[in-house]
Short mmCIF file of all heavy atoms in Angstrom, two decimals:
data_model
loop_
_atom_site.label_atom_id
_atom_site.label_comp_id
_atom_site.label_asym_id
_atom_site.label_seq_id
_atom_site.Cartn_x
_atom_site.Cartn_y
_atom_site.Cartn_z
N MET A 1 -55.74 -40.34 -99.53
CA MET A 1 -54.23 -40.45 -99.64
C MET A 1 -53.81 -41.98 -99.49
O MET A 1 -54.36 -42.65 -98.61
CB MET A 1 -53.65 -39.68 -98.47
CG MET A 1 -52.73 -38.47 -99.03
SD MET A 1 -52.20 -37.37 -97.79
CE MET A 1 -50.67 -38.14 -97.37
N PRO A 2 -52.80 -42.35 -100.35
CA PRO A 2 -52.37 -43.80 -100.15
C PRO A 2 -51.68 -44.01 -98.75
O PRO A 2 -51.15 -43.08 -98.20
CB PRO A 2 -51.51 -43.96 -101.35
CG PRO A 2 -51.07 -42.63 -101.70
CD PRO A 2 -52.16 -41.67 -101.23
N ASP A 3 -51.73 -45.23 -98.37
CA ASP A 3 -51.04 -45.52 -97.03
C ASP A 3 -49.47 -45.41 -97.29
O ASP A 3 -49.01 -45.72 -98.46
CB ASP A 3 -51.34 -47.00 -96.62
CG ASP A 3 -52.73 -47.10 -96.22
OD1 ASP A 3 -53.26 -46.09 -95.74
OD2 ASP A 3 -53.20 -48.28 -96.41
N PRO A 4 -48.81 -44.99 -96.32
CA PRO A 4 -47.35 -44.96 -96.37
C PRO A 4 -46.69 -46.30 -96.65
O PRO A 4 -47.15 -47.29 -96.24
CB PRO A 4 -46.89 -44.32 -95.09
CG PRO A 4 -48.04 -44.40 -94.12
CD PRO A 4 -49.16 -44.55 -94.88
N VAL A 5 -45.58 -46.28 -97.33
CA VAL A 5 -44.75 -47.49 -97.66
C VAL A 5 -43.38 -47.15 -97.40
O VAL A 5 -42.73 -46.10 -97.84
CB VAL A 5 -44.99 -47.97 -99.07
CG1 VAL A 5 -44.27 -49.22 -99.33
CG2 VAL A 5 -46.41 -48.06 -99.41
N ALA A 6 -42.64 -48.16 -96.61
CA ALA A 6 -41.14 -48.00 -96.46
C ALA A 6 -40.45 -48.80 -97.62
O ALA A 6 -40.73 -49.93 -97.85
CB ALA A 6 -40.84 -48.61 -95.19
N ILE A 7 -39.64 -48.08 -98.38
CA ILE A 7 -38.96 -48.59 -99.56
C ILE A 7 -37.50 -48.70 -99.22
O ILE A 7 -36.90 -47.79 -98.80
CB ILE A 7 -39.18 -47.75 -100.87
CG1 ILE A 7 -40.69 -47.76 -101.19
CG2 ILE A 7 -38.35 -48.28 -101.97
CD1 ILE A 7 -41.02 -46.80 -102.33
N ILE A 8 -36.90 -49.93 -99.40
CA ILE A 8 -35.60 -50.17 -99.10
C ILE A 8 -34.73 -50.08 -100.45
O ILE A 8 -35.10 -50.72 -101.44
CB ILE A 8 -35.32 -51.57 -98.51
CG1 ILE A 8 -36.15 -51.52 -97.23
CG2 ILE A 8 -33.90 -51.79 -98.26
CD1 ILE A 8 -36.30 -53.00 -96.61
N ASP A 9 -33.70 -49.28 -100.47
CA ASP A 9 -32.82 -49.16 -101.70
C ASP A 9 -31.66 -50.14 -101.42
O ASP A 9 -30.86 -49.94 -100.53
CB ASP A 9 -32.32 -47.74 -101.69
CG ASP A 9 -31.34 -47.62 -102.96
OD1 ASP A 9 -30.93 -48.65 -103.38
OD2 ASP A 9 -31.03 -46.42 -103.31
N TYR A 10 -31.81 -51.32 -102.15
CA TYR A 10 -30.81 -52.41 -101.84
C TYR A 10 -29.38 -52.10 -102.38
O TYR A 10 -28.48 -52.86 -102.22
CB TYR A 10 -31.34 -53.61 -102.49
CG TYR A 10 -32.50 -54.20 -101.72
CD1 TYR A 10 -33.79 -54.16 -102.14
CD2 TYR A 10 -32.27 -54.70 -100.43
CE1 TYR A 10 -34.91 -54.68 -101.41
CE2 TYR A 10 -33.37 -55.15 -99.71
CZ TYR A 10 -34.61 -55.12 -100.12
OH TYR A 10 -35.74 -55.49 -99.32
N GLN A 11 -29.27 -50.98 -103.23
CA GLN A 11 -27.94 -50.52 -103.58
C GLN A 11 -27.17 -49.91 -102.24
O GLN A 11 -25.96 -49.90 -102.32
CB GLN A 11 -28.11 -49.36 -104.66
CG GLN A 11 -28.73 -49.97 -105.91
CD GLN A 11 -27.97 -50.97 -106.61
OE1 GLN A 11 -26.77 -50.90 -106.72
NE2 GLN A 11 -28.64 -51.96 -107.17
N LYS A 12 -27.95 -49.34 -101.37
CA LYS A 12 -27.49 -48.64 -100.27
C LYS A 12 -27.42 -49.56 -99.00
O LYS A 12 -26.83 -49.16 -97.96
CB LYS A 12 -28.22 -47.37 -99.97
CG LYS A 12 -28.01 -46.37 -101.10
CD LYS A 12 -28.94 -45.10 -100.56
CE LYS A 12 -28.66 -43.97 -101.59
NZ LYS A 12 -29.58 -42.91 -101.22
N CYS A 13 -28.22 -50.56 -99.01
CA CYS A 13 -28.38 -51.34 -97.87
C CYS A 13 -27.29 -52.40 -97.74
O CYS A 13 -27.00 -53.15 -98.54
CB CYS A 13 -29.71 -52.09 -97.89
SG CYS A 13 -30.14 -53.28 -96.49
N HIS A 14 -26.63 -52.35 -96.45
CA HIS A 14 -25.52 -53.27 -96.25
C HIS A 14 -25.64 -53.95 -94.85
O HIS A 14 -25.03 -53.53 -93.93
CB HIS A 14 -24.15 -52.43 -96.24
CG HIS A 14 -23.97 -51.71 -97.46
ND1 HIS A 14 -23.58 -52.34 -98.66
CD2 HIS A 14 -24.00 -50.40 -97.77
CE1 HIS A 14 -23.45 -51.40 -99.58
NE2 HIS A 14 -23.81 -50.22 -99.14
N PRO A 15 -26.46 -54.97 -94.69
CA PRO A 15 -26.69 -55.65 -93.65
C PRO A 15 -25.37 -56.15 -92.84
O PRO A 15 -25.22 -56.25 -91.63
CB PRO A 15 -27.58 -56.81 -93.81
CG PRO A 15 -28.04 -56.77 -95.25
CD PRO A 15 -27.29 -55.61 -95.94
N ASP A 16 -24.29 -56.44 -93.69
CA ASP A 16 -23.12 -56.99 -93.19
C ASP A 16 -22.37 -55.89 -92.44
O ASP A 16 -21.47 -56.11 -91.66
CB ASP A 16 -22.22 -57.53 -94.39
CG ASP A 16 -22.05 -56.48 -95.42
OD1 ASP A 16 -23.08 -55.94 -95.76
OD2 ASP A 16 -20.89 -56.36 -95.95
N ARG A 17 -22.66 -54.61 -92.69
CA ARG A 17 -22.10 -53.47 -91.87
C ARG A 17 -22.94 -53.10 -90.74
O ARG A 17 -22.55 -52.08 -90.13
CB ARG A 17 -21.83 -52.37 -92.97
CG ARG A 17 -20.77 -52.65 -93.90
CD ARG A 17 -20.39 -51.43 -94.75
NE ARG A 17 -20.15 -51.72 -96.00
CZ ARG A 17 -20.25 -50.76 -97.00
NH1 ARG A 17 -20.48 -49.58 -96.73
NH2 ARG A 17 -19.98 -51.13 -98.32
N CYS A 18 -24.07 -53.61 -90.51
CA CYS A 18 -24.82 -53.17 -89.43
C CYS A 18 -24.48 -54.14 -88.28
O CYS A 18 -24.08 -55.15 -88.38
CB CYS A 18 -26.35 -53.31 -89.84
SG CYS A 18 -26.69 -52.09 -91.09
N ASP A 19 -24.89 -53.59 -87.08
CA ASP A 19 -24.45 -54.34 -85.79
C ASP A 19 -24.86 -55.80 -85.81
O ASP A 19 -26.13 -56.07 -85.80
CB ASP A 19 -25.05 -53.71 -84.65
CG ASP A 19 -24.52 -54.09 -83.39
OD1 ASP A 19 -23.35 -54.45 -83.33
OD2 ASP A 19 -25.12 -53.85 -82.38
N SER A 20 -23.90 -56.79 -85.85
CA SER A 20 -24.10 -58.17 -85.75
C SER A 20 -25.04 -58.59 -86.90
O SER A 20 -25.68 -59.68 -86.77
CB SER A 20 -24.65 -58.63 -84.42
OG SER A 20 -23.80 -58.18 -83.36
N GLY A 21 -25.18 -57.89 -87.97
CA GLY A 21 -25.95 -58.31 -89.12
C GLY A 21 -27.39 -58.13 -88.90
O GLY A 21 -28.21 -58.59 -89.81
N VAL A 22 -27.86 -57.24 -87.88
CA VAL A 22 -29.16 -57.14 -87.53
C VAL A 22 -29.51 -55.61 -88.01
O VAL A 22 -28.79 -54.78 -87.85
CB VAL A 22 -29.45 -57.18 -86.04
CG1 VAL A 22 -30.81 -56.88 -85.70
CG2 VAL A 22 -29.07 -58.54 -85.52
N CYS A 23 -30.70 -55.64 -88.74
CA CYS A 23 -31.04 -54.39 -89.40
C CYS A 23 -31.57 -53.45 -88.31
O CYS A 23 -32.53 -53.75 -87.54
CB CYS A 23 -32.18 -54.61 -90.37
SG CYS A 23 -32.98 -53.18 -91.00
N ALA A 24 -30.90 -52.28 -88.10
CA ALA A 24 -31.28 -51.34 -87.04
C ALA A 24 -32.71 -50.84 -87.32
O ALA A 24 -33.48 -50.51 -86.29
CB ALA A 24 -30.25 -50.23 -86.94
N ALA A 25 -33.09 -50.68 -88.45
CA ALA A 25 -34.31 -50.02 -88.93
C ALA A 25 -35.49 -51.05 -88.57
O ALA A 25 -36.41 -50.69 -87.99
CB ALA A 25 -34.34 -49.84 -90.41
N MET A 26 -35.12 -52.31 -88.69
CA MET A 26 -36.22 -53.36 -88.25
C MET A 26 -36.37 -53.26 -86.74
O MET A 26 -37.48 -53.31 -86.35
CB MET A 26 -35.61 -54.74 -88.64
CG MET A 26 -36.52 -55.91 -88.23
SD MET A 26 -35.73 -57.53 -88.41
CE MET A 26 -34.40 -57.45 -87.31
N LEU A 27 -35.36 -53.08 -86.00
CA LEU A 27 -35.53 -53.02 -84.60
C LEU A 27 -36.31 -51.89 -84.08
O LEU A 27 -37.07 -51.99 -83.05
CB LEU A 27 -34.08 -52.91 -83.84
CG LEU A 27 -33.18 -54.11 -84.03
CD1 LEU A 27 -31.88 -53.92 -83.36
CD2 LEU A 27 -33.86 -55.39 -83.43
N GLU A 28 -36.31 -50.68 -84.90
CA GLU A 28 -37.02 -49.59 -84.55
C GLU A 28 -38.39 -49.48 -84.91
O GLU A 28 -39.15 -48.63 -84.45
CB GLU A 28 -36.26 -48.41 -84.99
CG GLU A 28 -35.00 -48.05 -84.34
CD GLU A 28 -35.12 -47.79 -82.89
OE1 GLU A 28 -36.06 -47.07 -82.52
OE2 GLU A 28 -34.37 -48.24 -82.05
N CYS A 29 -38.75 -50.41 -85.79
CA CYS A 29 -40.13 -50.22 -86.40
C CYS A 29 -41.18 -50.76 -85.39
O CYS A 29 -41.19 -52.02 -84.99
CB CYS A 29 -40.26 -51.18 -87.67
SG CYS A 29 -42.02 -51.01 -88.31
N PRO A 30 -42.16 -49.85 -85.00
CA PRO A 30 -43.04 -50.18 -83.96
C PRO A 30 -44.10 -51.20 -84.46
O PRO A 30 -44.90 -51.79 -83.66
CB PRO A 30 -43.69 -48.95 -83.49
CG PRO A 30 -43.42 -47.99 -84.80
CD PRO A 30 -42.17 -48.50 -85.34
N ASN A 31 -44.27 -51.21 -85.79
CA ASN A 31 -45.35 -52.10 -86.29
C ASN A 31 -44.82 -53.38 -86.91
O ASN A 31 -45.50 -54.08 -87.59
CB ASN A 31 -46.12 -51.30 -87.45
CG ASN A 31 -47.08 -50.34 -86.85
OD1 ASN A 31 -46.84 -49.93 -85.62
ND2 ASN A 31 -48.07 -49.92 -87.57
N LYS A 32 -43.52 -53.62 -86.75
CA LYS A 32 -42.94 -54.88 -87.18
C LYS A 32 -43.24 -55.07 -88.80
O LYS A 32 -43.51 -56.12 -89.18
CB LYS A 32 -43.58 -56.21 -86.55
CG LYS A 32 -43.55 -56.06 -85.00
CD LYS A 32 -42.37 -56.50 -84.55
CE LYS A 32 -42.26 -56.54 -82.91
NZ LYS A 32 -41.07 -55.83 -82.33
N VAL A 33 -43.13 -53.96 -89.39
CA VAL A 33 -43.19 -53.92 -90.88
C VAL A 33 -41.89 -54.62 -91.49
O VAL A 33 -41.97 -55.39 -92.44
CB VAL A 33 -43.37 -52.58 -91.39
CG1 VAL A 33 -43.49 -52.57 -92.94
CG2 VAL A 33 -44.79 -52.09 -90.89
N LEU A 34 -40.81 -54.13 -90.96
CA LEU A 34 -39.59 -54.54 -91.58
C LEU A 34 -39.12 -55.96 -90.97
O LEU A 34 -39.12 -56.14 -89.72
CB LEU A 34 -38.41 -53.47 -91.41
CG LEU A 34 -38.79 -52.22 -91.98
CD1 LEU A 34 -37.78 -51.16 -91.54
CD2 LEU A 34 -38.77 -52.36 -93.42
N ARG A 35 -38.63 -56.78 -91.79
CA ARG A 35 -38.24 -58.19 -91.34
C ARG A 35 -36.87 -58.53 -92.01
O ARG A 35 -36.58 -58.14 -93.08
CB ARG A 35 -39.30 -59.25 -91.83
CG ARG A 35 -40.71 -58.92 -91.46
CD ARG A 35 -40.83 -59.05 -89.81
NE ARG A 35 -42.17 -58.82 -89.49
CZ ARG A 35 -43.09 -59.81 -89.48
NH1 ARG A 35 -42.90 -61.07 -89.78
NH2 ARG A 35 -44.30 -59.57 -88.96
N GLN A 36 -36.29 -59.49 -91.27
CA GLN A 36 -35.07 -60.23 -91.93
C GLN A 36 -35.38 -61.76 -91.68
O GLN A 36 -35.85 -62.16 -90.63
CB GLN A 36 -33.77 -59.82 -91.11
CG GLN A 36 -33.13 -58.58 -91.55
CD GLN A 36 -31.86 -58.31 -90.74
OE1 GLN A 36 -31.97 -58.23 -89.57
NE2 GLN A 36 -30.76 -58.23 -91.46
N GLU A 37 -35.13 -62.43 -92.74
CA GLU A 37 -35.15 -63.85 -92.60
C GLU A 37 -34.19 -64.43 -91.59
O GLU A 37 -34.33 -65.41 -90.90
CB GLU A 37 -35.05 -64.53 -93.97
CG GLU A 37 -36.17 -64.30 -95.00
CD GLU A 37 -37.40 -65.07 -94.67
OE1 GLU A 37 -37.45 -65.90 -93.66
OE2 GLU A 37 -38.37 -64.85 -95.30
N ALA A 38 -32.99 -63.78 -91.60
CA ALA A 38 -31.81 -64.31 -90.83
C ALA A 38 -30.88 -63.01 -90.67
O ALA A 38 -30.91 -62.15 -91.50
CB ALA A 38 -31.19 -65.49 -91.28
N PHE A 39 -30.08 -63.06 -89.66
CA PHE A 39 -28.96 -62.12 -89.53
C PHE A 39 -28.19 -62.04 -90.83
O PHE A 39 -28.02 -63.09 -91.46
CB PHE A 39 -27.97 -62.47 -88.38
CG PHE A 39 -28.70 -62.56 -87.09
CD1 PHE A 39 -28.04 -63.26 -86.09
CD2 PHE A 39 -29.84 -61.88 -86.72
CE1 PHE A 39 -28.54 -63.34 -84.74
CE2 PHE A 39 -30.45 -61.96 -85.52
CZ PHE A 39 -29.78 -62.69 -84.45
N TYR A 40 -27.74 -60.82 -91.18
CA TYR A 40 -26.97 -60.67 -92.42
C TYR A 40 -27.67 -60.72 -93.75
O TYR A 40 -27.21 -60.56 -94.85
CB TYR A 40 -25.61 -61.42 -92.55
CG TYR A 40 -24.82 -61.20 -91.38
CD1 TYR A 40 -24.78 -62.04 -90.17
CD2 TYR A 40 -23.91 -60.09 -91.33
CE1 TYR A 40 -23.93 -61.96 -89.17
CE2 TYR A 40 -23.10 -59.82 -90.23
CZ TYR A 40 -23.04 -60.69 -89.17
OH TYR A 40 -22.22 -60.61 -88.09
N GLU A 41 -29.08 -61.03 -93.60
CA GLU A 41 -29.79 -61.05 -94.80
C GLU A 41 -30.42 -59.70 -95.07
O GLU A 41 -30.62 -58.87 -94.15
CB GLU A 41 -31.00 -62.05 -94.66
CG GLU A 41 -30.61 -63.48 -94.47
CD GLU A 41 -30.11 -64.08 -95.83
OE1 GLU A 41 -30.67 -63.67 -96.91
OE2 GLU A 41 -29.26 -64.95 -95.75
N PHE A 42 -30.84 -59.34 -96.20
CA PHE A 42 -31.43 -57.97 -96.61
C PHE A 42 -32.83 -58.04 -95.85
O PHE A 42 -33.55 -58.97 -95.96
CB PHE A 42 -31.63 -57.91 -98.07
CG PHE A 42 -30.45 -57.49 -98.86
CD1 PHE A 42 -29.89 -58.44 -99.74
CD2 PHE A 42 -29.76 -56.32 -98.55
CE1 PHE A 42 -28.68 -58.07 -100.61
CE2 PHE A 42 -28.59 -55.97 -99.34
CZ PHE A 42 -28.07 -56.96 -100.18
N PRO A 43 -33.13 -56.93 -95.29
CA PRO A 43 -34.53 -56.72 -94.81
C PRO A 43 -35.48 -56.51 -95.94
O PRO A 43 -35.21 -56.11 -96.98
CB PRO A 43 -34.34 -55.53 -93.93
CG PRO A 43 -33.40 -54.69 -94.58
CD PRO A 43 -32.32 -55.63 -95.21
N PHE A 44 -36.85 -56.76 -95.62
CA PHE A 44 -37.81 -56.41 -96.51
C PHE A 44 -39.06 -56.04 -95.70
O PHE A 44 -39.21 -56.15 -94.57
CB PHE A 44 -38.17 -57.69 -97.35
CG PHE A 44 -38.68 -58.91 -96.51
CD1 PHE A 44 -40.01 -59.10 -96.31
CD2 PHE A 44 -37.65 -59.75 -95.89
CE1 PHE A 44 -40.31 -60.28 -95.41
CE2 PHE A 44 -38.04 -60.76 -95.11
CZ PHE A 44 -39.43 -61.00 -94.95
N SER A 45 -40.03 -55.32 -96.51
CA SER A 45 -41.23 -54.95 -95.87
C SER A 45 -42.28 -56.07 -95.87
O SER A 45 -42.61 -56.58 -97.05
CB SER A 45 -41.78 -53.69 -96.56
OG SER A 45 -41.11 -52.62 -96.36
N HIS A 46 -42.82 -56.37 -94.71
CA HIS A 46 -43.70 -57.40 -94.77
C HIS A 46 -45.11 -56.88 -95.28
O HIS A 46 -45.68 -55.80 -94.96
CB HIS A 46 -44.12 -57.92 -93.35
CG HIS A 46 -44.81 -59.16 -93.17
ND1 HIS A 46 -46.20 -59.22 -93.53
CD2 HIS A 46 -44.47 -60.38 -92.73
CE1 HIS A 46 -46.50 -60.52 -93.35
NE2 HIS A 46 -45.53 -61.23 -92.83
N PRO A 47 -45.66 -57.53 -96.40
CA PRO A 47 -46.87 -56.98 -97.13
C PRO A 47 -48.10 -56.83 -96.30
O PRO A 47 -48.90 -55.97 -96.65
CB PRO A 47 -47.06 -57.96 -98.30
CG PRO A 47 -46.28 -59.15 -97.90
CD PRO A 47 -45.15 -58.81 -96.94
N SER A 48 -48.23 -57.61 -95.21
CA SER A 48 -49.41 -57.53 -94.52
C SER A 48 -49.41 -56.76 -93.19
O SER A 48 -50.36 -56.74 -92.46
CB SER A 48 -50.01 -59.02 -94.24
OG SER A 48 -49.02 -59.67 -93.34
N HIS A 49 -48.27 -56.01 -92.98
CA HIS A 49 -48.20 -55.27 -91.85
C HIS A 49 -48.31 -53.77 -92.24
O HIS A 49 -47.62 -53.30 -93.16
CB HIS A 49 -46.82 -55.42 -91.05
CG HIS A 49 -46.95 -56.74 -90.23
ND1 HIS A 49 -46.82 -56.72 -88.85
CD2 HIS A 49 -47.19 -58.04 -90.62
CE1 HIS A 49 -46.92 -57.94 -88.35
NE2 HIS A 49 -47.33 -58.79 -89.41
N PHE A 50 -48.98 -52.97 -91.53
CA PHE A 50 -49.41 -51.63 -91.83
C PHE A 50 -48.27 -50.74 -91.36
O PHE A 50 -47.73 -50.63 -90.26
CB PHE A 50 -50.66 -51.23 -91.04
CG PHE A 50 -50.93 -49.91 -91.07
CD1 PHE A 50 -51.47 -49.26 -92.25
CD2 PHE A 50 -50.86 -48.96 -89.97
CE1 PHE A 50 -51.79 -47.87 -92.38
CE2 PHE A 50 -51.07 -47.64 -89.99
CZ PHE A 50 -51.57 -47.12 -91.19
N CYS A 51 -47.84 -49.96 -92.34
CA CYS A 51 -46.68 -48.89 -92.05
C CYS A 51 -47.41 -47.67 -91.70
O CYS A 51 -48.35 -47.17 -92.35
CB CYS A 51 -45.82 -48.64 -93.36
SG CYS A 51 -44.71 -47.24 -93.20
N ARG A 52 -47.04 -47.07 -90.47
CA ARG A 52 -47.75 -45.91 -90.05
C ARG A 52 -46.99 -44.59 -90.52
O ARG A 52 -47.49 -43.53 -90.22
CB ARG A 52 -47.87 -45.88 -88.52
CG ARG A 52 -46.50 -45.97 -87.84
CD ARG A 52 -46.65 -45.57 -86.28
NE ARG A 52 -47.10 -46.82 -85.57
CZ ARG A 52 -46.98 -46.91 -84.25
NH1 ARG A 52 -46.60 -45.90 -83.56
NH2 ARG A 52 -47.38 -47.97 -83.57
N GLY A 53 -45.96 -44.80 -91.22
CA GLY A 53 -45.25 -43.59 -91.69
C GLY A 53 -44.43 -42.83 -90.65
O GLY A 53 -44.18 -41.54 -91.03
N CYS A 54 -44.07 -43.45 -89.63
CA CYS A 54 -43.44 -42.71 -88.59
C CYS A 54 -42.01 -42.36 -88.93
O CYS A 54 -41.41 -41.48 -88.21
CB CYS A 54 -43.42 -43.45 -87.26
SG CYS A 54 -42.47 -45.02 -87.36
N ALA A 55 -41.29 -42.97 -89.87
CA ALA A 55 -40.04 -42.78 -90.33
C ALA A 55 -38.90 -43.19 -89.20
O ALA A 55 -37.72 -42.70 -89.37
CB ALA A 55 -39.80 -41.32 -90.76
N LYS A 56 -39.23 -43.84 -88.23
CA LYS A 56 -38.18 -44.32 -87.30
C LYS A 56 -37.21 -45.22 -87.92
O LYS A 56 -36.01 -45.17 -87.58
CB LYS A 56 -38.85 -45.07 -86.09
CG LYS A 56 -39.63 -44.12 -85.17
CD LYS A 56 -40.19 -44.95 -84.04
CE LYS A 56 -40.89 -43.91 -83.02
NZ LYS A 56 -41.52 -44.55 -81.89
N CYS A 57 -37.62 -45.90 -88.94
CA CYS A 57 -36.68 -46.76 -89.68
C CYS A 57 -35.74 -45.96 -90.52
O CYS A 57 -34.46 -46.29 -90.55
CB CYS A 57 -37.55 -47.68 -90.70
SG CYS A 57 -38.58 -46.83 -91.74
N VAL A 58 -36.21 -44.88 -90.99
CA VAL A 58 -35.28 -43.91 -91.88
C VAL A 58 -34.24 -43.30 -90.97
O VAL A 58 -33.01 -43.36 -91.25
CB VAL A 58 -36.23 -42.80 -92.46
CG1 VAL A 58 -35.19 -41.76 -93.23
CG2 VAL A 58 -37.30 -43.28 -93.39
N GLN A 59 -34.65 -42.95 -89.76
CA GLN A 59 -33.73 -42.34 -88.79
C GLN A 59 -32.70 -43.45 -88.36
O GLN A 59 -31.56 -43.03 -88.12
CB GLN A 59 -34.48 -41.76 -87.64
CG GLN A 59 -35.27 -40.48 -87.97
CD GLN A 59 -36.36 -40.25 -86.90
OE1 GLN A 59 -36.35 -40.76 -85.86
NE2 GLN A 59 -37.40 -39.47 -87.25
N ALA A 60 -33.12 -44.60 -88.16
CA ALA A 60 -32.21 -45.71 -87.49
C ALA A 60 -31.15 -46.21 -88.61
O ALA A 60 -30.11 -46.62 -88.11
CB ALA A 60 -33.11 -46.93 -87.09
N CYS A 61 -31.53 -46.09 -89.87
CA CYS A 61 -30.57 -46.66 -90.88
C CYS A 61 -29.42 -45.70 -91.03
O CYS A 61 -29.59 -44.64 -91.51
CB CYS A 61 -31.26 -46.99 -92.16
SG CYS A 61 -30.10 -47.60 -93.44
N LEU A 62 -28.10 -46.10 -90.80
CA LEU A 62 -27.03 -45.28 -90.97
C LEU A 62 -26.64 -45.08 -92.38
O LEU A 62 -25.83 -44.27 -92.73
CB LEU A 62 -25.88 -46.02 -90.16
CG LEU A 62 -26.00 -46.11 -88.68
CD1 LEU A 62 -24.84 -46.77 -88.11
CD2 LEU A 62 -26.14 -44.70 -88.09
N PHE A 63 -27.15 -45.91 -93.31
CA PHE A 63 -26.85 -45.95 -94.68
C PHE A 63 -27.79 -45.14 -95.63
O PHE A 63 -27.72 -45.17 -96.78
CB PHE A 63 -26.46 -47.23 -95.22
CG PHE A 63 -25.26 -47.92 -94.45
CD1 PHE A 63 -25.44 -48.66 -93.29
CD2 PHE A 63 -23.99 -47.69 -94.93
CE1 PHE A 63 -24.46 -49.20 -92.62
CE2 PHE A 63 -22.93 -48.19 -94.19
CZ PHE A 63 -23.17 -48.99 -93.07
N GLU A 64 -28.75 -44.69 -95.02
CA GLU A 64 -29.94 -43.85 -95.69
C GLU A 64 -30.39 -44.86 -96.79
O GLU A 64 -30.68 -44.34 -97.85
CB GLU A 64 -29.30 -42.57 -96.37
CG GLU A 64 -28.77 -41.59 -95.33
CD GLU A 64 -28.24 -40.29 -95.89
OE1 GLU A 64 -28.05 -40.26 -97.10
OE2 GLU A 64 -28.17 -39.47 -95.11
N ALA A 65 -30.62 -46.02 -96.47
CA ALA A 65 -31.19 -47.00 -97.37
C ALA A 65 -32.77 -47.07 -97.41
O ALA A 65 -33.20 -47.82 -98.21
CB ALA A 65 -30.60 -48.43 -96.97
N ILE A 66 -33.36 -46.33 -96.46
CA ILE A 66 -34.85 -46.44 -96.43
C ILE A 66 -35.42 -45.10 -96.65
O ILE A 66 -34.94 -44.08 -96.09
CB ILE A 66 -35.32 -47.01 -95.10
CG1 ILE A 66 -34.64 -48.45 -94.86
CG2 ILE A 66 -36.86 -47.16 -95.13
CD1 ILE A 66 -35.10 -49.12 -93.65
N ARG A 67 -36.45 -45.02 -97.46
CA ARG A 67 -37.30 -43.87 -97.52
C ARG A 67 -38.76 -44.34 -97.45
O ARG A 67 -39.09 -45.41 -97.76
CB ARG A 67 -37.07 -43.05 -98.81
CG ARG A 67 -37.37 -43.81 -100.08
CD ARG A 67 -36.87 -43.07 -101.34
NE ARG A 67 -36.97 -44.05 -102.43
CZ ARG A 67 -38.03 -43.83 -103.29
NH1 ARG A 67 -38.97 -42.94 -103.05
NH2 ARG A 67 -38.18 -44.70 -104.22
N VAL A 68 -39.55 -43.39 -96.85
CA VAL A 68 -40.95 -43.64 -96.76
C VAL A 68 -41.82 -42.76 -97.67
O VAL A 68 -41.56 -41.53 -97.63
CB VAL A 68 -41.36 -43.38 -95.28
CG1 VAL A 68 -42.90 -43.62 -95.18
CG2 VAL A 68 -40.72 -44.39 -94.36
N VAL A 69 -42.59 -43.34 -98.52
CA VAL A 69 -43.34 -42.50 -99.41
C VAL A 69 -44.82 -42.76 -99.19
O VAL A 69 -45.29 -43.63 -98.55
CB VAL A 69 -42.99 -42.95 -100.95
CG1 VAL A 69 -41.54 -42.70 -101.09
CG2 VAL A 69 -43.30 -44.39 -101.18
S1 LIG B 101 -31.94 -51.01 -94.08
FE1 LIG B 101 -30.21 -49.88 -93.13
S2 LIG B 101 -30.25 -50.60 -90.96
FE2 LIG B 101 -31.27 -52.18 -92.23
S3 LIG B 101 -29.74 -53.72 -92.95
FE3 LIG B 101 -30.00 -52.16 -94.47
S4 LIG B 101 -28.35 -50.67 -94.00
FE4 LIG B 101 -28.66 -51.95 -92.15
S1 LIG B 102 -42.18 -45.74 -91.27
FE1 LIG B 102 -42.49 -46.44 -89.15
S2 LIG B 102 -44.07 -47.95 -89.33
FE2 LIG B 102 -43.23 -47.60 -91.39
S3 LIG B 102 -41.62 -49.19 -91.75
FE3 LIG B 102 -40.67 -47.34 -90.94
S4 LIG B 102 -40.60 -47.54 -88.70
FE4 LIG B 102 -42.17 -49.08 -89.59
#
C-alpha cells in the first residue's frame, strides 16, 4: 500500500481566515509534515517528512481544505 499523503486544496484553504494567519492543521500534525513559510502564507506538505495518515490535520482545518489519501 502507498504511504498516506496529505493533500491541500488551495481553492478551500484560507490562511487569512485562520487564527492569526497560523494554519491550525499544521499545529496539529504530530510529524511536522505541514509547514508555513510565514504567517498568512499557504501551508504545504514537506516532502521529506513522513505522513502517518492520522487525519488530525483534516479534523483541525475548519475549511475542509485537507484530505488524506
Ligand atoms: S489548511 Fe485549513 S487550517 Fe490550514 S491554513 Fe488552510 S484553511 Fe487554515
Ligand atoms: S494525516 Fe497526520 S501525519 Fe499526515 S499530515 Fe495530517 S496530521 Fe500530519
